[in-house]
Amino acid sequence: MKLTQSFLAGTALALVAGTVSAQDMTFVSWGGAYQMSQQKAYVEPYVEANPDVSVTWDESSAEAVARLRAMNEAGNITWDLVDVVAADAIRLCDEGLAMEYDPEDMLAPADDGTSAEDDFGDMIVSDCFIPQIAYSTTFGYRTDMVPEGVDAPSDICSIFDLETYPGRRSLERRPINNMEWALYCDGVAKDEIYDVLATPEGQDQALAKLDTIKDDVIWWSAGADTPQLLADGEIFMGSTYNGRLFSVIVEQEQPVAMMWDMQVFDLDGWIIPTGLSDEKLEAVKDFVYFATDTQRLADQAAYISYGPARESSAPLVGEHAELGIDMAPHMPTNPENAENTLLYNYEFWADYRDDIDAKFQAWLAQ
Amino acid sequence: MSDTTQNGPMLAADGTPLKRSLNRALRRQKLRALMLIAPLLIFVLVTFIAPIADMLFRSVENQIVSDTLPTATEVLEDWDHTTGTPPGEEVYEALYYDLYLAAEARAHTRLGTRLNYEYTGVSSLFRSTGRGLEDLGEEYQDILEDADDSWGEGAFWYELMTGTGDTDASLVREHRARLQALENARLTGDVGFAPSVEIMELLPQTTFAYTDFAVFTALMDEDVVAEEDPWEGVYAGLAQDLQTADLSGYDGPGAEALVAAQQTLAEQAEPINYTAFFESEDEDWLNPDIWATIQTYSSNYTGGYFLNAVDMQLTPDGIEMRPDGQRLYMVLFQRTLFMSLTITLSCILLGYPVAWLLANLPASKANLLMILVLLPFWTSLLVRTSAWKVMLQQQGVINDVLVWLGLVDDAARLVMINNQFGTIVAMTHILLPFMILPLYSVMQGIPPSYLRAAKSLGATNWTAFWRVYFPQSVPGIGAGSILVFILAIGYYITPEIVGGRTGTFISNRIAYHISSSLNWGLAAALGAILLAVVLLLYWAYDRIVGIDNVKLG
């Protein structure tokens, strides 16, 4: 009897909780400093203005595509707003797992009246992708390990130059970016990289170039690896996301410097999963409208060195919230840093990812 | 005695035959026993057996191709890929309407992703073509609507397609089944449309396209068919039908408009050409290799994933080995087996003396030792793995000590992590308790008097150990080895963190295909092979050592 009663009470509670939690939203992000910047710049001001809303974070962005696919198959989507890189947004859109949206309708115009579509411009790389920030994959190096009498590395091809810059490197354990850098340093012109990489000969050429440093590379799979390896002095130079290097250099004050040459720009943003209830969708849309306006995107840059995706936000980027340093010089989009850059080629990698990855992994395993 | 051997069956107290009564009692007992284990049974079925069955099924499942392009794959069956020419117009025609519905249901890109595993470039081919499909019909739609406004009205279309005579709902049922396969869901609800028999004969392609539209509008958008304007694809169907239709005998709804439309289109529009349309969308559609791939993978079940998992591939010309530079999985399987065996062996070597000490020291010391064994066992896996990183890396503790001692030159520090060595060390440490605990429990059961007896009979220490003690501890080694080996072969996190280039396992690739490339079919095939290898080794172990000899505690 007692058991039945408590069971009934539990059910009743769950039911009540069910109706109350209509404004309880689950956001998915990457954890760490990045998620914290979203919490501070978007969620805290939003919740302050809408006290009935509560937000739960799920740090699953790295496997968001697989998780959403599994949730979709099980017919139970438990996420309301998901932060993913642009390439994953395209895949989610392809799989019908992300909702297509109309920027005019769902996003706020800029303060001067420019429409959201124009303000974000090319950043909207997919019909489902709501851009947030531009980040880049770039190199950091130990300043105290630069050989004497040699200039600090400022050219991407110094990663392949073991004579001038001896020491180990770290590169991501996947073909994307590495293949481009290899071809570029093997003399392929920048605008021909993808034409060359589309051919089997071009792929072999890139792997042959990578072969020259294969034994001196530690291959990372988590963005935190390179900063750690740099801090430990395990490597001389390594690639990772620019925001990670920012925290090594500025927040942890390690003897590390940036090498921005041929940084690869990529985008990160939100997608809304398909199949949300109307009520949930309204709540999510309301949040997205707020969180992607000009001021909010600029605010995020006060916590992390990623560039806001809106053109109108760039002039509003100010100082770091805690350290009080000017953030503009640390942005990947800063003109001085962006003299020679590459843009992640979504179309190319959507097609060639499986093929080239198979070759790359086979090459790695040998 | 004589009482119980009367004529007829023995009877129980209530008068029923004893045999039946006994059976009933036994059945009830069995049922009760079953109900007692039911929670566990259901738990095991749901969380263990079902996922494994699902995985095995996924490794051969390939319905997506024929679900998405049902008509096109059927028409394509007659095409011979060895001719080196693209298929005929009828295939492109079927492809257009298949793809149109798939694009509305947003399923065409999913198929693109699937086929991209087999042929690079299909992904963007499907994605970009899906966007342009409306253009073909729009051309005719504009001409028709310019000539007569009623072609732009949903109600007019609905009346035309429904007609006044008999209707036939079989087409609607078929298309509902198609849409269900695409959406992978049961769609209930009334479509509220059935084409008239007359129109179906007169305008077959239009009816086909309009039925797709009607089914999708009613079931997916949940709108009323008669109130919605048809898709552009329907106009393409109409243009095709009107090229040849004989309208003279038709006097149903919209008869005049149809005659006028036939004339307008004949005057103003080019005859419809699906091949040319697909060529203008992307030249790759004329590439016979693409069609050969679709043909090869159009069956509902495929061995393609398993072939990929053993470095082979299914091509239109049959089964082939993969090119040299792309063979990966056999290397990884061999490496996984070799490293798991090495780890098991090092666990035996390190664990045996510890277990012996545990079993033979006085209780107080043994307990302390046991805590030392268990303490790391209770520590998080990630912490232990990361700790090995700190220990083994070039600027790490061990290298620092070696340099300080002068055993290693500062410039030539040892590379002990991010390779096979690092993985073996870290995993041996992590799996060691799984070897020590079964060994310990077996050794505890070996009476120390046996060793003393052997020695008193003149055996040396070594002989006493090797001939008397060791054979009795073999069941513990067997149990520990099976535990460690099976755990090691599926290990994922530790090799990912410390494995580097040469120390990763097959499970790392499985994880990649599950969470990154989304090639779940290949991941399932790799998993199934791994499962088969484990079962095979288990069977071999049973044959050689005997599974009855294993003692877990």
Side-chain angles (χ1 to χ4, degrees):
Chain A
M1 190 63 196
K2 220 171 181 181
L3 192 73
T4 328
Q5 269 175 351
S6 57
F7 178 71
L8 281 177
T11 320
L13 253 176
L15 282 175
V16 173
T19 49
V20 171
S21 66
Q23 299 296 326
D24 187 11
M25 293 192 280
T26 306
F27 293 172
V28 183
S29 188
W30 302 89
Y34 183 64
Q35 184 177 306
M36 189 51 73
S37 72
Q38 293 174 317
Q39 169 76 13
K40 293 254 199 258
Y42 310 153
V43 174
E44 280 177 10
Y46 184 77
V47 171
E48 204 166 302
N50 303 272
D52 54 334
V53 172
S54 68
V55 170
T56 315
W57 288 101
D58 186 334
E59 305 179 359
S60 303
S61 282
E63 64 263 20
V65 187
R67 290 278 297 274
L68 272 171
R69 201 201 225 191
M71 285 185 196
N72 179 268
E73 283 194 8
N76 182 21
I77 308 275
T78 57
W79 291 347
D80 301 313
L81 190 61
V82 187
D83 187 286
V84 288
V85 291
D88 282 346
I90 293 173
R91 292 203 297 159
L92 287 165
C93 217
D94 277 0
E95 294 255 330
L97 298 170
M99 193 188 82
E100 288 180 20
Y101 76 102
D102 179 8
E104 295 297 278
D105 177 44
M106 250 184 61
L107 306 179
D111 294 340
D112 62 356
T114 315
S115 74
E117 199 163 3
D118 294 337
D119 203 16
F120 280 108
D122 295 338
M123 302 280 189
I124 304 177
V125 293
S126 152
D127 297 335
C128 306
F129 182 61
I130 306 163
Q132 219 180 117
I133 54 123
Y135 70 95
S136 82
T137 308
T138 187
F139 280 86
Y141 62 92
R142 293 277 304 198
T143 47
D144 57 351
M145 284 167 77
V146 179
E148 272 177 51
V150 176
D151 289 339
S154 60
D155 176 1
I156 183 74
C157 295
S158 52
I159 59 173
F160 294 100
D161 185 356
L162 285 169
E163 270 177 36
T164 322
Y165 300 102
R168 295 200 294 173
R169 287 95 168 93
S170 75
L171 294 172
E172 190 170 4
R173 201 187 296 166
R174 65 170 194 178
I176 300 171
N177 300 344
N178 294 334
M179 300 292 266
E180 286 99 321
W181 289 324
L183 283 182
Y184 179 75
C185 291
D186 207 30
V188 176
K190 211 162 102 178
D191 52 358
E192 283 169 15
I193 287 179
Y194 289 102
D195 293 335
V196 175
L197 201 52
T199 63
E201 298 78 35
Q203 293 155 14
D204 291 344
Q205 185 187 350
L207 290 178
K209 183 70 181 178
L210 286 168
D211 232 6
T212 59
I213 55 168
K214 190 177 181 181
D215 294 333
D216 295 277
V217 173
I218 295 177
W219 302 91
W220 60 267
S221 51
D225 288 349
T226 293
Q228 186 60 50
L229 291 167
L230 279 171
D232 288 352
E234 281 286 298
I235 52 169
F236 170 50
M237 54 187 359
S239 69
T240 188
Y241 315 124
N242 70 292
R244 302 270 190 175
L245 289 168
F246 171 80
S247 62
V248 172
I249 297 169
V250 178
E251 289 166 10
Q252 299 171 22
E253 296 175 336
Q254 295 286 335
V256 173
M258 305 285 293
M259 187 181 75
W260 292 100
D261 190 38
M262 272 296 268
Q263 55 165 322
V264 183
F265 280 126
D266 196 352
L267 303 170
D268 191 274
W270 302 110
I271 60 102
I272 303 174
T274 45
L276 293 189
S277 68
D278 290 345
E279 205 183 342
K280 262 283 163 61
L281 189 59
E282 279 315 307
V284 170
K285 277 185 174 173
D286 192 58
F287 172 79
V288 168
Y289 190 88
F290 173 83
T292 55
D293 72 12
T294 303
Q295 186 58 49
R296 244 47 63 185
L297 287 186
D299 285 351
Q300 194 185 358
Y303 301 96
I304 200 151
S305 64
Y306 294 133
R310 270 181 191 264
E311 216 180 311
S312 61
S313 299
L316 302 180
V317 171
E319 291 178 346
H320 191 281
E322 281 141 30
L323 302 172
I325 53 162
D326 191 13
M327 288 301 277
H330 296 284
M331 291 291 165
T333 41
N334 190 43
E336 246 175 67
N337 302 335
E339 276 169 10
N340 186 22
T341 65
L342 199 65
L343 185 65
Y344 186 106
N345 190 329
Y346 302 104
E347 184 96 341
F348 178 86
W349 282 113
D351 277 344
Y352 286 87
R353 183 189 158 108
D354 301 315
D355 188 29
I356 296 184
D357 189 74
K359 287 181 187 160
F360 183 80
Q361 300 298 341
W363 169 81
L364 263 190
Q366 275 158 22
Chain B
M1 193 70 188
S2 61
D3 286 350
T4 54
T5 50
Q6 311 156 344
N7 297 338
M10 277 191 292
L11 295 181
D14 59 353
T16 53
L18 185 59
K19 201 173 173 188
R20 202 191 300 163
S21 175
L22 192 67
N23 274 344
R24 197 192 297 154
L26 276 177
R27 203 161 47 232
R28 212 176 297 143
Q29 231 170 34
K30 274 185 198 155
L31 206 68
R32 203 179 304 145
L34 195 69
M35 273 167 68
L36 269 176
I37 63 156
L40 180 65
L41 190 69
I42 292 169
F43 181 78
V44 169
L45 274 177
V46 169
T47 61
F48 190 67
I49 307 288
I52 289 181
D54 184 57
M55 176 191 79
L56 290 175
F57 180 62
R58 262 178 212 280
S59 62
V60 291
E61 183 196 21
N62 192 42
Q63 274 131 333
I64 185 168
V65 185
S66 55
D67 277 352
T68 315
L69 306 175
T71 329
T73 47
E74 210 179 294
V75 183
L76 191 65
E77 267 174 35
D78 300 330
W79 174 69
D80 180 9
H81 76 270
T82 52
T83 57
T85 52
E89 171 81 358
E90 70 283 357
V91 172
Y92 289 97
E93 180 192 317
L95 175 72
Y96 180 76
Y97 295 99
D98 281 349
L99 215 49
Y100 203 101
L101 180 67
E104 290 291 339
R106 300 211 47 81
H108 64 303
T109 42
R110 228 176 297 163
L111 178 63
T113 311
R114 161 69 186 97
L115 289 174
N116 203 64
Y117 298 140
E118 316 298 341
Y119 194 94
T120 297
V122 182
S123 175
S124 64
L125 181 66
F126 273 75
R127 194 183 315 116
S128 65
T129 308
R131 278 194 215 111
L133 287 171
E134 289 168 1
D135 300 348
L136 180 68
E138 212 166 58
E139 204 179 305
Y140 302 103
Q141 185 186 17
D142 291 346
I143 294 172
L144 287 170
E145 283 181 11
D146 282 347
D148 184 349
D149 281 344
S150 51
W151 286 114
E153 289 164 20
F156 169 78
W157 268 99
Y158 185 76
E159 206 186 338
L160 171 72
M161 301 310 293
T162 319
T164 48
D166 294 338
T167 56
D168 182 358
S170 61
L171 197 66
V172 174
R173 273 198 299 277
E174 260 171 52
H175 286 237
R176 180 202 288 261
R178 275 184 61 185
L179 189 60
Q180 286 193 14
L182 272 184
E183 292 284 340
N184 218 346
R186 242 189 91 70
L187 301 171
T188 51
D190 186 28
V191 177
F193 165 76
S196 80
V197 177
E198 199 179 8
I199 278 292
M200 241 165 105
E201 272 166 28
L202 192 68
L203 308 170
Q205 199 64 67
T206 318
T207 318
F208 187 93
Y210 190 83
T211 311
D212 269 344
F213 153 76
V215 170
F216 192 89
T217 307
L219 299 180
M220 296 306 296
D221 295 343
E222 298 178 348
D223 289 325
V224 178
V225 180
E227 291 170 6
E228 298 299 314
D229 301 340
W231 291 339
E232 287 80 356
V234 178
Y235 294 90
L238 184 66
Q240 185 195 345
D241 285 335
L242 288 179
Q243 281 172 26
T244 53
D246 176 15
L247 297 171
S248 56
Y250 178 71
D251 59 355
E256 280 170 37
L258 273 179
V259 174
Q262 190 169 34
Q263 203 170 359
T264 319
L265 285 176
E267 284 165 9
Q268 296 182 21
E270 297 273 315
I272 198 158
N273 184 338
Y274 296 99
T275 315
F277 166 72
F278 277 104
E279 188 185 1
S280 72
E281 284 294 309
D282 196 319
E283 281 179 9
D284 269 346
W285 282 114
L286 293 195
N287 181 352
D289 292 345
I290 296 246
W291 287 104
T293 308
I294 295 177
Q295 196 181 37
T296 313
Y297 284 93
S298 59
S299 59
N300 279 346
Y301 298 96
T302 178
Y305 290 126
F306 274 102
L307 290 172
N308 282 347
V310 291
D311 290 334
M312 294 164 130
Q313 56 188 347
L314 188 63
T315 67
D317 303 315
I319 297 167
E320 287 172 8
M321 282 306 285
R322 279 195 171 273
D324 249 344
Q326 297 174 35
R327 293 181 199 161
L328 170 64
Y329 298 112
M330 289 315 278
V331 176
L332 284 181
F333 273 119
Q334 283 165 11
R335 184 194 287 169
T336 306
L337 281 179
F338 166 74
M339 288 178 65
S340 300
L341 283 173
T342 314
I343 289 159
T344 312
L345 211 67
S346 19
C347 276
I348 297 176
L349 289 179
L350 292 173
Y352 199 92
V354 177
W356 190 84
L357 276 179
L358 275 173
N360 290 293
L361 281 178
S364 59
K365 282 182 188 159
N367 282 344
L368 188 70
L369 202 58
M370 192 62 157
I371 289 172
L372 289 180
V373 171
L374 288 178
L375 213 58
F377 192 48
W378 293 331
T379 315
S380 154
L381 174 72
L382 277 172
V383 171
R384 280 184 283 167
T385 308
S386 308
W388 277 112
K389 245 183 149 158
V390 177
M391 295 285 287
L392 293 178
Q393 63 184 3
Q394 282 196 306
Q395 308 294 326
V397 178
I398 292 180
N399 263 313
D400 281 349
V401 171
L402 289 176
V403 169
W404 180 72
L405 289 174
L407 293 174
V408 168
D409 186 46
D410 196 17
R413 286 169 175 250
L414 303 176
V415 181
M416 293 185 291
I417 199 95
N418 296 316
N419 53 19
Q420 276 189 11
F421 180 78
T423 311
I424 291 173
V425 169
M427 280 181 63
T428 303
H429 171 229
I430 287 162
L431 295 174
L432 201 52
F434 292 97
M435 179 64 79
I436 293 177
L437 294 177
L439 265 176
Y440 164 68
S441 77
V442 168
M443 286 178 177
Q444 255 197 333
I446 305 174
S449 51
Y450 285 12
L451 267 185
R452 285 201 293 271
K455 278 186 210 161
S456 71
L457 289 171
T460 60
N461 276 345
W462 169 250
T463 317
F465 166 75
W466 185 244
R467 303 270 304 271
V468 175
Y469 193 86
F470 181 78
Q472 296 185 81
S473 65
V474 163
I477 296 180
S481 300
I482 285 193
L483 269 180
V484 170
F485 182 77
I486 290 179
L487 282 172
I489 207 170
Y491 236 62
Y492 154 68
I493 294 175
T494 306
E496 181 73 25
I497 296 177
V498 300
R501 191 165 73 73
T502 54
T504 48
F505 279 23
I506 192 74
S507 41
N508 299 99
R509 277 284 87 187
I510 297 179
Y512 166 80
H513 285 303
I514 289 282
S515 66
S516 280
S517 82
L518 289 197
N519 193 347
W520 287 7
L522 180 55
L526 289 169
I529 293 177
L530 198 58
L531 181 66
V533 169
V534 170
L535 290 178
L536 191 77
L537 285 171
Y538 186 79
W539 174 82
Y541 182 89
D542 187 30
R543 290 300 298 268
I544 299 165
V545 183
I547 210 69
D548 297 339
N549 278 330
V550 167
K551 276 209 193 112
L552 282 168

